[in-house]
Amino acid sequence: MAVTEAERDAMHRALALAANGPRGLNPQVGAVILSPAGTVLAEGWHRGAGTPHAEVDALSKLAPGEASGATAVVTLEPCNHTGRTGPCAQALIDAGVSRVVYATGDPGDVSSGGADRLRAAGVEVVAGEQADASRRLIADWLTVQRLGRPHVTVKWAQSLDGRAAASDGTSQWITGPDARADVHRRRARADAIVAGTGTVLADDPALTARDGDALYPHQPVPVVIGSRATPADAAVHRHPNAPLFYDTRDLSAVLADLRDRGVQRVFVEGGPTLASAFIAAGVADTVLAYIAPMLLGGERLALTDIGVASIGDALHLRVEQWLPLGADLLAIAHPATAPVAGEDALVATAHPATAPVAGQEGS
């Protein structure tokens, strides 16, 4: 079914409205209600968990019966379940909407099916208008829906011979200023930054995202994993966001709790044992390896045990990009066995991770 010019313009507007909403447990969604003649009757967007969804927000601005015969243009398939709010598909049916144009489908096992419900009620449904733009807008949320947990990026800095520190434990700085600035830009895109207690005790990192001497406007929530206590005067306690502490080796439980808090992207800073634990547990989706042109030798490897006993067990990666950063080189990689290309890829091989955490370069 063809989409009209008015509906196409309305979808552009709905996407702009959706961007007003917060990122978190729920997707950013916008909606525009058009009259049969194609004029805008009402607009709405989702303002966060527990608030009216975009369609209901738009419908609430109309008098009873005013939406009869109207078209609803929505950035995400209207939901089909009752949670803290009712099903949007039924709200559109009850309002008398005769046509629904939406951008991308709802991937949720519980919330999907709104399009089928609308069709069963005799509503004309058109899917796919500006789907790519909609998916880009809610890419993080879509990733969480598919994975069942936040997307995890594991980062480390290493010498050319694979060491994360010199024999005496010193690691600041393996990489140069360009590489360190790149790390901070990537931290600022994350919702949470994770370190082990070994790193906190050895390096006292602030776990902030800095633009030179200033802080980026968005700061990831600092997360510390490990059984050792963090000193009361540790720099992490001065972070703009209150730190989260997890005295557990169960990374799946940590990620589940972070997901429930609305965290969608996790940035793992170290140390080597914690980075290895995420990889061994099969929950590393992106690897960032910053490689410095120096040789350190010794035993302080960037990774420890990841469950690989022989060459046949190796975890193969697909390098998406080799990025020069001053004298250093960044390898951006994903598991070669990932079912989906790009940052949403999954590490296919899983091994239990039970080792304590250790320190690594980072602040």
Side-chain angles (χ1 to χ4, degrees), residues 23-327:
R23 292 171 63 250
L25 290 174
N26 295 88
Q28 294 167 296
V29 182
V32 175
I33 309 297
L34 297 177
S35 72
T39 59
V40 175
L41 295 175
E43 300 176 337
W45 69 89
H46 184 47
R47 291 167 171 80
T51 66
H53 290 188
E55 302 93 318
V56 174
D57 183 45
L59 290 172
S60 69
K61 299 167 185 175
L62 299 176
E66 194 175 355
S68 180
T71 296
V73 178
V74 194
T75 59
L76 183 67
E77 176 187 5
C79 70
N80 190 39
H81 79 295
T82 300
R84 281 187 275 186
T85 58
C88 292
Q90 189 60 51
L92 292 169
I93 293 168
D94 294 343
V97 167
S98 63
R99 178 175 163 94
V100 172
V101 177
Y102 70 86
T104 192
D106 188 327
D109 292 336
V110 175
S111 56
S112 63
D116 290 339
R117 186 170 186 167
L118 288 163
R119 291 189 184 100
V123 177
E124 186 178 16
V125 178
V126 181
E129 171 60 25
Q130 299 176 50
D132 288 346
S134 173
R135 284 193 286 266
R136 284 194 298 271
L137 177 67
I138 57 172
D140 291 354
W141 180 82
L142 289 171
T143 297
V144 172
Q145 303 315 299
R146 189 179 67 257
L147 298 177
R149 58 166 176 79
H151 177 280
V152 175
T153 294
V154 177
K155 166 264 175 183
W156 66 82
Q158 65 171 66
S159 61
L160 195 60
D161 56 343
R163 269 61 182 181
S167 294
D168 65 355
T170 56
S171 61
Q172 297 181 336
W173 298 101
I174 287 178
T175 55
D178 291 346
R180 297 199 298 274
D182 184 79
V183 170
H184 282 274
R185 284 192 294 270
R186 296 177 189 275
R187 287 185 185 184
R189 300 173 193 164
D191 300 313
I193 179 170
V194 181
T197 51
T199 294
V200 171
L201 294 173
D203 297 336
D204 194 25
L207 299 183
T208 52
R210 298 187 297 278
D211 184 8
D213 293 330
L215 295 179
Y216 277 101
H218 171 73
Q219 290 293 314
V221 174
V223 175
V224 179
I225 301 176
S227 57
R228 287 180 284 179
T230 298
D233 61 350
V236 70
H237 287 297
R238 298 189 292 277
H239 194 284
N241 296 315
L244 300 174
F245 298 93
Y246 294 93
D247 181 4
T248 180
R249 296 176 179 177
D250 187 345
L251 298 182
S252 294
V254 172
L255 291 174
D257 185 68
L258 291 175
R259 176 202 61 208
D260 292 344
R261 293 173 181 269
V263 169
Q264 297 178 352
R265 290 195 172 265
V266 169
F267 195 87
V268 179
E269 275 281 353
T273 309
L274 184 64
S276 301
F278 272 90
I279 291 173
V283 291
D285 307 302
T286 300
V287 167
L288 302 177
Y290 292 83
I291 305 167
M294 68 169 65
L295 301 174
L296 292 174
E299 299 180 352
R300 294 182 179 272
L301 298 172
L303 290 181
T304 58
D305 182 13
I306 58 171
V308 174
S310 67
I311 195 68
D313 298 327
L315 301 179
H316 294 276
L317 302 178
R318 179 185 63 257
V319 177
E320 175 186 297
Q321 185 178 10
W322 293 100
L323 180 62
L325 294 166

